[in-house]
Amino acid sequence: MWSRVLAVIVKELRQLSRDRMTFAMIVMIPLVQLILFGYAINTDVRHLPAAVVDMSDSSYSRALIQAVTATQVVDFSQRLSSVHQAETAITNGQIKAALVIPADVGERLVRYSAGHYMTEPVAQWLVDGSDTVVASTIKGLRKMPMDEVLGNPHSEGVPTLEVVQYFNPEQRSVVNIVPGLLGVILTMTMVLFTAVAIVREREQGNMEFLITTPIRPFELMLGKIVPYVIVGFVQVGIILGVGHRLFAVPIRGGLDSLALAALLFILASLTLGLVISTVARTQLQAMQMTVFVLLPSILLSGFMFPFEGMPQVAQWISEILPATHFMRMARAIVLRGAEVANLGYDVLWLLGFTLVGLAVASLRFSKRLD
């Protein structure tokens, strides 16, 4: 008996060594996860894009800006002239927070230095509360030690900066998670569905039929995509509908903007699946290759961990993934009420990804049995 079992073991090991895709999965999955969790994933958020609205333009306000910048929590990439501009920039996702410095900041600091009771804050933070991690990080800047601003020693930091949290004042995590689930679930299903599309035709013997038809590669690729677009919209409706009913997740943006963003992402994901399908030789290989897309899409897209907390290299990699762009769009539209017209970069990227992917899949597809 044991000799027969040993023979089967040897046979399986030899077969496994010849299956390059499975062998690569054995090595690459733990390696990729180790690198992602150990290097790219970081919950200690730094260098958040921020703006400053300086209504004072005095030495006091400049000293306050320098003190905040020294924390390295935010990078003031914009200087805006009004609170309205700051609110618009937060809504469109250009910045995560804005520091609003009042015109009388000098007088407020003097009263603070004299030990008077403060009925008003020295300055005010406007924060994108749709990301609970970002909001909590900015709240940590409420207690700023004023000695650097005043130029004289003072006590430990006290609550001198007010924080106004937009879109999710209760800081409920589910509000941030549900729109992100759109990207994760659509990536999981759309890529997998089309990843096995061409391979399934070959394994089921339907490739002979396709060879005898006058259909062109591009037409076949397009025909494979369209039915799953409908499936994708059904999933979007389920996720948002249940999320709104059960968890009271607000839907502040227009459904037309959300539908367009979802359509672009569904097309990009389906196209990626088609490219995988033209590379894989079996359905198992197609599913294995889908895992390589799904893992980074979950970990690097900003769904679980703040995008700003990742090192620069990880951010470059995440920018390649369609899920990263859709995460931004979904949260901006659903939670902040942004319009798709103001999210031009992500729109153009998803559109370009789809066109390039369709071209690559069409070129790689060959109506041959081998």
mmCIF file of all heavy atoms in Angstrom, residues 138-183:
data_model
loop_
_atom_site.group_PDB
_atom_site.id
_atom_site.type_symbol
_atom_site.label_atom_id
_atom_site.label_comp_id
_atom_site.label_asym_id
_atom_site.label_seq_id
_atom_site.Cartn_x
_atom_site.Cartn_y
_atom_site.Cartn_z
ATOM 1 N N ILE A 138 -6.239 63.752 12.029
ATOM 2 C CA ILE A 138 -6.318 65.215 12.118
ATOM 3 C C ILE A 138 -6.773 65.639 13.506
ATOM 4 O O ILE A 138 -6.314 66.662 14.045
ATOM 5 C CB ILE A 138 -7.276 65.769 11.041
ATOM 6 C CG1 ILE A 138 -6.740 65.466 9.645
ATOM 7 C CG2 ILE A 138 -7.464 67.272 11.219
ATOM 8 C CD1 ILE A 138 -5.435 66.136 9.326
ATOM 9 N N LYS A 139 -7.652 64.866 14.120
ATOM 10 C CA LYS A 139 -8.087 65.210 15.473
ATOM 11 C C LYS A 139 -6.926 65.205 16.455
ATOM 12 O O LYS A 139 -6.963 65.898 17.473
ATOM 13 C CB LYS A 139 -9.174 64.234 15.945
ATOM 14 C CG LYS A 139 -10.555 64.536 15.382
ATOM 15 C CD LYS A 139 -11.599 63.630 15.999
ATOM 16 C CE LYS A 139 -12.995 64.019 15.533
ATOM 17 N NZ LYS A 139 -14.040 63.170 16.150
ATOM 18 N N GLY A 140 -5.900 64.438 16.131
ATOM 19 C CA GLY A 140 -4.718 64.438 16.985
ATOM 20 C C GLY A 140 -3.961 65.743 16.953
ATOM 21 O O GLY A 140 -3.083 65.980 17.806
ATOM 22 N N LEU A 141 -4.284 66.613 16.000
ATOM 23 C CA LEU A 141 -3.623 67.920 15.906
ATOM 24 C C LEU A 141 -4.395 69.013 16.635
ATOM 25 O O LEU A 141 -4.030 70.184 16.539
ATOM 26 C CB LEU A 141 -3.455 68.318 14.431
ATOM 27 C CG LEU A 141 -2.570 67.409 13.573
ATOM 28 C CD1 LEU A 141 -2.524 67.931 12.138
ATOM 29 C CD2 LEU A 141 -1.165 67.336 14.146
ATOM 30 N N ARG A 142 -5.455 68.641 17.342
ATOM 31 C CA ARG A 142 -6.200 69.668 18.082
ATOM 32 C C ARG A 142 -5.360 70.288 19.188
ATOM 33 O O ARG A 142 -5.447 71.476 19.464
ATOM 34 C CB ARG A 142 -7.470 69.064 18.685
ATOM 35 C CG ARG A 142 -8.553 68.738 17.679
ATOM 36 C CD ARG A 142 -9.771 68.166 18.347
ATOM 37 N NE ARG A 142 -9.454 66.922 19.068
ATOM 38 C CZ ARG A 142 -10.336 66.233 19.776
ATOM 39 N NH1 ARG A 142 -11.572 66.671 19.888
ATOM 40 N NH2 ARG A 142 -9.989 65.104 20.378
ATOM 41 N N LYS A 143 -4.551 69.444 19.821
ATOM 42 C CA LYS A 143 -3.742 69.921 20.945
ATOM 43 C C LYS A 143 -2.346 70.261 20.447
ATOM 44 O O LYS A 143 -1.442 69.435 20.459
ATOM 45 C CB LYS A 143 -3.686 68.872 22.041
ATOM 46 C CG LYS A 143 -5.046 68.532 22.637
ATOM 47 C CD LYS A 143 -4.914 67.496 23.740
ATOM 48 C CE LYS A 143 -6.268 67.187 24.350
ATOM 49 N NZ LYS A 143 -6.166 66.211 25.461
ATOM 50 N N MET A 144 -2.203 71.470 19.975
ATOM 51 C CA MET A 144 -0.903 71.934 19.480
ATOM 52 C C MET A 144 -0.180 72.710 20.559
ATOM 53 O O MET A 144 -0.742 73.641 21.149
ATOM 54 C CB MET A 144 -1.101 72.836 18.253
ATOM 55 C CG MET A 144 -1.580 72.117 17.015
ATOM 56 S SD MET A 144 -0.312 71.006 16.358
ATOM 57 C CE MET A 144 0.976 72.184 15.972
ATOM 58 N N PRO A 145 1.070 72.358 20.862
ATOM 59 C CA PRO A 145 1.855 73.169 21.808
ATOM 60 C C PRO A 145 2.127 74.535 21.197
ATOM 61 O O PRO A 145 2.749 74.654 20.150
ATOM 62 C CB PRO A 145 3.136 72.356 21.986
ATOM 63 C CG PRO A 145 3.213 71.486 20.776
ATOM 64 C CD PRO A 145 1.821 71.209 20.351
ATOM 65 N N MET A 146 1.654 75.562 21.872
ATOM 66 C CA MET A 146 1.723 76.906 21.306
ATOM 67 C C MET A 146 3.051 77.602 21.539
ATOM 68 O O MET A 146 3.224 78.754 21.146
ATOM 69 C CB MET A 146 0.587 77.772 21.899
ATOM 70 C CG MET A 146 -0.802 77.363 21.436
ATOM 71 S SD MET A 146 -1.092 77.668 19.676
ATOM 72 C CE MET A 146 -1.143 76.005 19.046
ATOM 73 N N ASP A 147 4.007 76.934 22.205
ATOM 74 C CA ASP A 147 5.269 77.604 22.473
ATOM 75 C C ASP A 147 6.007 77.934 21.183
ATOM 76 O O ASP A 147 6.678 78.969 21.081
ATOM 77 C CB ASP A 147 6.152 76.738 23.377
ATOM 78 C CG ASP A 147 6.363 75.348 22.809
ATOM 79 O OD1 ASP A 147 5.461 74.864 22.106
ATOM 80 O OD2 ASP A 147 7.422 74.766 23.065
ATOM 81 N N GLU A 148 5.870 77.077 20.177
ATOM 82 C CA GLU A 148 6.543 77.356 18.911
ATOM 83 C C GLU A 148 5.926 78.543 18.206
ATOM 84 O O GLU A 148 6.591 79.255 17.469
ATOM 85 C CB GLU A 148 6.471 76.117 18.008
ATOM 86 C CG GLU A 148 7.149 74.888 18.582
ATOM 87 C CD GLU A 148 7.059 73.714 17.631
ATOM 88 O OE1 GLU A 148 6.915 73.952 16.427
ATOM 89 O OE2 GLU A 148 7.128 72.565 18.102
ATOM 90 N N VAL A 149 4.640 78.750 18.426
ATOM 91 C CA VAL A 149 3.951 79.866 17.779
ATOM 92 C C VAL A 149 4.183 81.169 18.523
ATOM 93 O O VAL A 149 4.406 82.226 17.925
ATOM 94 C CB VAL A 149 2.440 79.560 17.680
ATOM 95 C CG1 VAL A 149 1.711 80.704 16.994
ATOM 96 C CG2 VAL A 149 2.216 78.245 16.940
ATOM 97 N N LEU A 150 4.148 81.097 19.860
ATOM 98 C CA LEU A 150 4.258 82.302 20.671
ATOM 99 C C LEU A 150 5.701 82.717 20.913
ATOM 100 O O LEU A 150 5.973 83.851 21.283
ATOM 101 C CB LEU A 150 3.557 82.090 22.014
ATOM 102 C CG LEU A 150 2.038 81.838 21.927
ATOM 103 C CD1 LEU A 150 1.521 81.359 23.262
ATOM 104 C CD2 LEU A 150 1.328 83.103 21.485
ATOM 105 N N GLY A 151 6.610 81.772 20.740
ATOM 106 C CA GLY A 151 8.009 82.101 20.945
ATOM 107 C C GLY A 151 8.436 82.080 22.390
ATOM 108 O O GLY A 151 9.494 82.591 22.733
ATOM 109 N N ASN A 152 7.617 81.529 23.278
ATOM 110 C CA ASN A 152 7.998 81.411 24.678
ATOM 111 C C ASN A 152 7.476 80.082 25.221
ATOM 112 O O ASN A 152 6.478 79.547 24.733
ATOM 113 C CB ASN A 152 7.424 82.568 25.505
ATOM 114 C CG ASN A 152 5.909 82.593 25.461
ATOM 115 O OD1 ASN A 152 5.335 82.971 24.452
ATOM 116 N ND2 ASN A 152 5.264 82.193 26.540
ATOM 117 N N PRO A 153 8.146 79.508 26.224
ATOM 118 C CA PRO A 153 7.730 78.213 26.770
ATOM 119 C C PRO A 153 6.299 78.276 27.272
ATOM 120 O O PRO A 153 5.835 79.290 27.787
ATOM 121 C CB PRO A 153 8.713 77.967 27.907
ATOM 122 C CG PRO A 153 9.898 78.819 27.571
ATOM 123 C CD PRO A 153 9.349 80.033 26.889
ATOM 124 N N HIS A 154 5.596 77.174 27.106
ATOM 125 C CA HIS A 154 4.213 77.107 27.559
ATOM 126 C C HIS A 154 3.930 75.694 28.036
ATOM 127 O O HIS A 154 4.770 74.809 27.916
ATOM 128 C CB HIS A 154 3.253 77.509 26.429
ATOM 129 C CG HIS A 154 1.950 78.038 26.936
ATOM 130 N ND1 HIS A 154 0.873 77.235 27.182
ATOM 131 C CD2 HIS A 154 1.567 79.298 27.232
ATOM 132 C CE1 HIS A 154 -0.131 77.982 27.603
ATOM 133 N NE2 HIS A 154 0.267 79.236 27.644
ATOM 134 N N SER A 155 2.775 75.501 28.550
ATOM 135 C CA SER A 155 2.404 74.187 29.058
ATOM 136 C C SER A 155 2.187 73.218 27.903
ATOM 137 O O SER A 155 2.306 73.577 26.738
ATOM 138 C CB SER A 155 1.122 74.312 29.890
ATOM 139 O OG SER A 155 0.066 74.786 29.066
ATOM 140 N N GLU A 156 1.850 71.983 28.271
ATOM 141 C CA GLU A 156 1.591 70.971 27.253
ATOM 142 C C GLU A 156 0.444 71.433 26.365
ATOM 143 O O GLU A 156 -0.371 72.276 26.728
ATOM 144 C CB GLU A 156 1.229 69.642 27.920
ATOM 145 C CG GLU A 156 2.384 69.014 28.680
ATOM 146 C CD GLU A 156 3.488 68.560 27.752
ATOM 147 O OE1 GLU A 156 3.166 68.148 26.628
ATOM 148 O OE2 GLU A 156 4.658 68.612 28.159
ATOM 149 N N GLY A 157 0.373 70.824 25.179
ATOM 150 C CA GLY A 157 -0.641 71.222 24.222
ATOM 151 C C GLY A 157 -2.041 71.107 24.792
ATOM 152 O O GLY A 157 -2.378 70.161 25.491
ATOM 153 N N VAL A 158 -2.841 72.088 24.492
ATOM 154 C CA VAL A 158 -4.238 72.101 24.922
ATOM 155 C C VAL A 158 -5.113 72.201 23.687
ATOM 156 O O VAL A 158 -4.632 72.528 22.605
ATOM 157 C CB VAL A 158 -4.501 73.295 25.872
ATOM 158 C CG1 VAL A 158 -3.712 73.142 27.151
ATOM 159 C CG2 VAL A 158 -4.197 74.600 25.187
ATOM 160 N N PRO A 159 -6.420 71.905 23.835
ATOM 161 C CA PRO A 159 -7.309 71.965 22.669
ATOM 162 C C PRO A 159 -7.463 73.390 22.149
ATOM 163 O O PRO A 159 -8.375 74.125 22.526
ATOM 164 C CB PRO A 159 -8.635 71.424 23.211
ATOM 165 C CG PRO A 159 -8.296 70.679 24.438
ATOM 166 C CD PRO A 159 -7.112 71.381 25.011
ATOM 167 N N THR A 160 -6.566 73.801 21.280
ATOM 168 C CA THR A 160 -6.582 75.166 20.734
ATOM 169 C C THR A 160 -7.066 75.210 19.296
ATOM 170 O O THR A 160 -7.295 76.294 18.773
ATOM 171 C CB THR A 160 -5.171 75.762 20.795
ATOM 172 O OG1 THR A 160 -4.268 74.865 20.152
ATOM 173 C CG2 THR A 160 -4.730 75.980 22.224
ATOM 174 N N LEU A 161 -7.212 74.061 18.647
ATOM 175 C CA LEU A 161 -7.682 74.009 17.275
ATOM 176 C C LEU A 161 -8.992 73.221 17.220
ATOM 177 O O LEU A 161 -9.062 72.085 17.673
ATOM 178 C CB LEU A 161 -6.640 73.344 16.358
ATOM 179 C CG LEU A 161 -5.250 73.982 16.331
ATOM 180 C CD1 LEU A 161 -4.347 73.217 15.372
ATOM 181 C CD2 LEU A 161 -5.330 75.444 15.934
ATOM 182 N N GLU A 162 -10.000 73.832 16.672
ATOM 183 C CA GLU A 162 -11.301 73.186 16.545
ATOM 184 C C GLU A 162 -11.317 72.307 15.290
ATOM 185 O O GLU A 162 -10.736 72.658 14.270
ATOM 186 C CB GLU A 162 -12.405 74.235 16.464
ATOM 187 C CG GLU A 162 -13.808 73.648 16.359
ATOM 188 C CD GLU A 162 -14.861 74.727 16.170
ATOM 189 O OE1 GLU A 162 -14.536 75.763 15.533
ATOM 190 O OE2 GLU A 162 -15.986 74.550 16.639
ATOM 191 N N VAL A 163 -11.992 71.158 15.368
ATOM 192 C CA VAL A 163 -12.094 70.243 14.233
ATOM 193 C C VAL A 163 -13.555 70.136 13.812
ATOM 194 O O VAL A 163 -14.413 69.761 14.615
ATOM 195 C CB VAL A 163 -11.549 68.845 14.578
ATOM 196 C CG1 VAL A 163 -11.763 67.887 13.406
ATOM 197 C CG2 VAL A 163 -10.074 68.923 14.941
ATOM 198 N N VAL A 164 -13.821 70.499 12.578
ATOM 199 C CA VAL A 164 -15.157 70.361 11.984
ATOM 200 C C VAL A 164 -15.088 69.210 10.987
ATOM 201 O O VAL A 164 -14.364 69.280 9.998
ATOM 202 C CB VAL A 164 -15.614 71.655 11.284
ATOM 203 C CG1 VAL A 164 -16.982 71.448 10.640
ATOM 204 C CG2 VAL A 164 -15.648 72.813 12.270
ATOM 205 N N GLN A 165 -15.838 68.153 11.255
ATOM 206 C CA GLN A 165 -15.767 66.926 10.470
ATOM 207 C C GLN A 165 -16.942 66.854 9.504
ATOM 208 O O GLN A 165 -18.090 66.777 9.910
ATOM 209 C CB GLN A 165 -15.762 65.720 11.408
ATOM 210 C CG GLN A 165 -15.394 64.414 10.742
ATOM 211 C CD GLN A 165 -15.120 63.335 11.759
ATOM 212 O OE1 GLN A 165 -14.405 63.551 12.735
ATOM 213 N NE2 GLN A 165 -15.701 62.170 11.546
ATOM 214 N N TYR A 166 -16.644 66.855 8.217
ATOM 215 C CA TYR A 166 -17.675 66.798 7.203
ATOM 216 C C TYR A 166 -18.048 65.349 6.870
ATOM 217 O O TYR A 166 -17.232 64.440 6.965
ATOM 218 C CB TYR A 166 -17.205 67.484 5.914
ATOM 219 C CG TYR A 166 -17.118 68.993 6.006
ATOM 220 C CD1 TYR A 166 -15.990 69.614 6.524
ATOM 221 C CD2 TYR A 166 -18.169 69.797 5.573
ATOM 222 C CE1 TYR A 166 -15.900 70.982 6.603
ATOM 223 C CE2 TYR A 166 -18.090 71.178 5.647
ATOM 224 C CZ TYR A 166 -16.955 71.772 6.172
ATOM 225 O OH TYR A 166 -16.871 73.140 6.244
ATOM 226 N N PHE A 167 -19.297 65.152 6.429
ATOM 227 C CA PHE A 167 -19.792 63.924 5.793
ATOM 228 C C PHE A 167 -19.989 62.735 6.732
ATOM 229 O O PHE A 167 -20.805 61.878 6.435
ATOM 230 C CB PHE A 167 -18.879 63.494 4.630
ATOM 231 C CG PHE A 167 -18.493 64.609 3.714
ATOM 232 C CD1 PHE A 167 -17.166 64.934 3.526
ATOM 233 C CD2 PHE A 167 -19.461 65.342 3.053
ATOM 234 C CE1 PHE A 167 -16.798 65.972 2.690
ATOM 235 C CE2 PHE A 167 -19.108 66.388 2.204
ATOM 236 C CZ PHE A 167 -17.774 66.697 2.026
ATOM 237 N N ASN A 168 -19.262 62.655 7.822
ATOM 238 C CA ASN A 168 -19.425 61.522 8.730
ATOM 239 C C ASN A 168 -19.058 61.940 10.143
ATOM 240 O O ASN A 168 -18.096 61.459 10.725
ATOM 241 C CB ASN A 168 -18.550 60.343 8.281
ATOM 242 C CG ASN A 168 -18.781 59.089 9.106
ATOM 243 O OD1 ASN A 168 -19.786 58.951 9.803
ATOM 244 N ND2 ASN A 168 -17.840 58.164 9.037
ATOM 245 N N PRO A 169 -19.828 62.859 10.711
ATOM 246 C CA PRO A 169 -19.462 63.397 12.023
ATOM 247 C C PRO A 169 -19.467 62.348 13.130
ATOM 248 O O PRO A 169 -18.765 62.496 14.127
ATOM 249 C CB PRO A 169 -20.539 64.470 12.268
ATOM 250 C CG PRO A 169 -21.666 64.106 11.364
ATOM 251 C CD PRO A 169 -21.048 63.472 10.175
ATOM 252 N N GLU A 170 -20.258 61.276 12.955
ATOM 253 C CA GLU A 170 -20.291 60.234 13.992
ATOM 254 C C GLU A 170 -19.090 59.297 13.892
ATOM 255 O O GLU A 170 -18.881 58.460 14.761
ATOM 256 C CB GLU A 170 -21.568 59.403 13.871
ATOM 257 C CG GLU A 170 -22.851 60.214 13.974
ATOM 258 C CD GLU A 170 -23.327 60.656 12.595
ATOM 259 O OE1 GLU A 170 -22.563 60.440 11.607
ATOM 260 O OE2 GLU A 170 -24.426 61.206 12.493
ATOM 261 N N GLN A 171 -18.315 59.415 12.809
ATOM 262 C CA GLN A 171 -17.155 58.550 12.556
ATOM 263 C C GLN A 171 -17.532 57.073 12.558
ATOM 264 O O GLN A 171 -16.858 56.230 13.145
ATOM 265 C CB GLN A 171 -16.040 58.801 13.584
ATOM 266 C CG GLN A 171 -15.089 59.902 13.167
ATOM 267 C CD GLN A 171 -13.832 59.924 14.012
ATOM 268 O OE1 GLN A 171 -13.825 60.454 15.110
ATOM 269 N NE2 GLN A 171 -12.758 59.355 13.496
ATOM 270 N N ARG A 172 -18.608 56.748 11.867
ATOM 271 C CA ARG A 172 -19.027 55.359 11.724
ATOM 272 C C ARG A 172 -18.214 54.701 10.611
ATOM 273 O O ARG A 172 -18.211 55.157 9.477
ATOM 274 C CB ARG A 172 -20.516 55.264 11.422
ATOM 275 C CG ARG A 172 -21.409 55.735 12.565
ATOM 276 C CD ARG A 172 -22.863 55.389 12.296
ATOM 277 N NE ARG A 172 -23.351 56.019 11.080
ATOM 278 C CZ ARG A 172 -24.035 55.370 10.139
ATOM 279 N NH1 ARG A 172 -24.275 54.073 10.268
ATOM 280 N NH2 ARG A 172 -24.464 56.006 9.073
ATOM 281 N N SER A 173 -17.557 53.613 10.924
ATOM 282 C CA SER A 173 -16.699 52.936 9.954
ATOM 283 C C SER A 173 -17.485 52.389 8.778
ATOM 284 O O SER A 173 -16.997 52.352 7.647
ATOM 285 C CB SER A 173 -15.927 51.800 10.630
ATOM 286 O OG SER A 173 -15.088 52.293 11.646
ATOM 287 N N VAL A 174 -18.725 51.963 9.015
ATOM 288 C CA VAL A 174 -19.516 51.362 7.955
ATOM 289 C C VAL A 174 -19.780 52.347 6.823
ATOM 290 O O VAL A 174 -19.925 51.954 5.660
ATOM 291 C CB VAL A 174 -20.846 50.810 8.524
ATOM 292 C CG1 VAL A 174 -21.755 51.944 8.979
ATOM 293 C CG2 VAL A 174 -21.545 49.919 7.503
ATOM 294 N N VAL A 175 -19.835 53.634 7.156
ATOM 295 C CA VAL A 175 -20.066 54.652 6.122
ATOM 296 C C VAL A 175 -18.922 54.663 5.118
ATOM 297 O O VAL A 175 -19.127 54.871 3.916
ATOM 298 C CB VAL A 175 -20.231 56.039 6.785
ATOM 299 C CG1 VAL A 175 -20.292 57.143 5.735
ATOM 300 C CG2 VAL A 175 -21.494 56.066 7.639
ATOM 301 N N ASN A 176 -17.732 54.429 5.595
ATOM 302 C CA ASN A 176 -16.567 54.402 4.719
ATOM 303 C C ASN A 176 -16.399 53.055 4.020
ATOM 304 O O ASN A 176 -15.902 52.975 2.898
ATOM 305 C CB ASN A 176 -15.309 54.716 5.529
ATOM 306 C CG ASN A 176 -14.083 54.875 4.659
ATOM 307 O OD1 ASN A 176 -14.072 55.627 3.701
ATOM 308 N ND2 ASN A 176 -13.032 54.142 4.979
ATOM 309 N N ILE A 177 -16.848 51.986 4.679
ATOM 310 C CA ILE A 177 -16.623 50.635 4.151
ATOM 311 C C ILE A 177 -17.560 50.303 2.996
ATOM 312 O O ILE A 177 -17.137 49.723 1.988
ATOM 313 C CB ILE A 177 -16.785 49.602 5.278
ATOM 314 C CG1 ILE A 177 -15.607 49.708 6.249
ATOM 315 C CG2 ILE A 177 -16.882 48.187 4.726
ATOM 316 C CD1 ILE A 177 -15.732 48.821 7.452
ATOM 317 N N VAL A 178 -18.830 50.646 3.104
ATOM 318 C CA VAL A 178 -19.819 50.221 2.099
ATOM 319 C C VAL A 178 -19.472 50.710 0.691
ATOM 320 O O VAL A 178 -19.466 49.915 -0.256
ATOM 321 C CB VAL A 178 -21.233 50.661 2.520
ATOM 322 C CG1 VAL A 178 -22.220 50.470 1.367
ATOM 323 C CG2 VAL A 178 -21.691 49.863 3.731
ATOM 324 N N PRO A 179 -19.161 52.003 0.468
ATOM 325 C CA PRO A 179 -18.763 52.393 -0.891
ATOM 326 C C PRO A 179 -17.496 51.684 -1.359
ATOM 327 O O PRO A 179 -17.350 51.387 -2.548
ATOM 328 C CB PRO A 179 -18.545 53.910 -0.771
ATOM 329 C CG PRO A 179 -19.323 54.314 0.417
ATOM 330 C CD PRO A 179 -19.244 53.165 1.360
ATOM 331 N N GLY A 180 -16.582 51.403 -0.422
ATOM 332 C CA GLY A 180 -15.378 50.683 -0.795
ATOM 333 C C GLY A 180 -15.663 49.259 -1.204
ATOM 334 O O GLY A 180 -14.975 48.697 -2.073
ATOM 335 N N LEU A 181 -16.693 48.659 -0.594
ATOM 336 C CA LEU A 181 -17.061 47.295 -0.964
ATOM 337 C C LEU A 181 -17.492 47.194 -2.420
ATOM 338 O O LEU A 181 -17.373 46.130 -3.029
ATOM 339 C CB LEU A 181 -18.191 46.788 -0.061
ATOM 340 C CG LEU A 181 -17.781 46.179 1.279
ATOM 341 C CD1 LEU A 181 -19.018 45.808 2.084
ATOM 342 C CD2 LEU A 181 -16.910 44.957 1.073
ATOM 343 N N LEU A 182 -18.000 48.276 -2.963
ATOM 344 C CA LEU A 182 -18.350 48.274 -4.384
ATOM 345 C C LEU A 182 -17.135 47.878 -5.219
ATOM 346 O O LEU A 182 -17.224 47.025 -6.112
ATOM 347 C CB LEU A 182 -18.855 49.658 -4.809
ATOM 348 C CG LEU A 182 -20.238 50.097 -4.330
ATOM 349 C CD1 LEU A 182 -20.487 51.536 -4.720
ATOM 350 C CD2 LEU A 182 -21.310 49.195 -4.921
ATOM 351 N N GLY A 183 -16.007 48.505 -4.922
ATOM 352 C CA GLY A 183 -14.799 48.219 -5.688
ATOM 353 C C GLY A 183 -14.288 46.817 -5.474
ATOM 354 O O GLY A 183 -13.885 46.133 -6.421
#
